Amino acid sequence: MTEPVIICRCEDITLQDIQELIKQGKHTLEELKRECRCGMGPCQGRTCTPLIAQELAKTLKTNTGDVVLPTFRPPTAPITLGALAGGGKHD
């Protein structure tokens, strides 16, 4: 038995996982991202998104450039409740 090929190191997702989801009808990067969290780890998809796009293009018999990228959102930073309430540090 061969070792699984890890596609998304951050979320520990294998090539087999991605292929199975594609067989189940997940045909966009956004659908795959929502289903298995690929691209949502610390690297934010910089490693796995191109690999998954290649697999999608191969399966769907299209060019990698035709695969629509998922929605990217800027990282968030925690804020204090006082900042939301408009109060100062000692209010």
Side-chain angles (χ1 to χ4, degrees):
M1 188 167 160
T2 62
E3 290 291 318
V5 176
I6 302 292
I7 293 288
C8 180
R9 296 179 302 199
C10 299
E11 297 295 326
D12 200 29
I13 299 166
T14 66
L15 177 59
Q16 184 179 1
D17 296 335
I18 296 298
Q19 290 170 336
E20 185 60 35
L21 289 169
I22 293 170
K23 285 179 191 173
Q24 292 174 12
K26 309 298 189 259
H27 293 158
T28 66
L29 283 168
E30 190 70 40
E31 289 173 322
L32 290 168
K33 180 179 173 182
R34 290 174 190 269
E35 187 70 27
C36 68
R37 296 188 43 82
C38 58
M40 296 177 74
C43 85
Q44 293 295 291
R46 285 189 277 299
T47 304
C48 64
T49 298
L51 298 171
I52 296 169
Q54 283 179 330
E55 190 62 29
L56 266 173
K58 183 173 83 174
T59 303
L60 301 175
K61 296 177 177 45
T62 186
N63 295 321
T64 306
D66 295 335
V67 175
V68 178
L69 294 176
T71 303
F72 291 99
R73 294 174 182 86
T76 59
I79 60 171
T80 65
L81 189 55
L84 288 174
K89 204 170 201 161
H90 301 288
D91 287 352

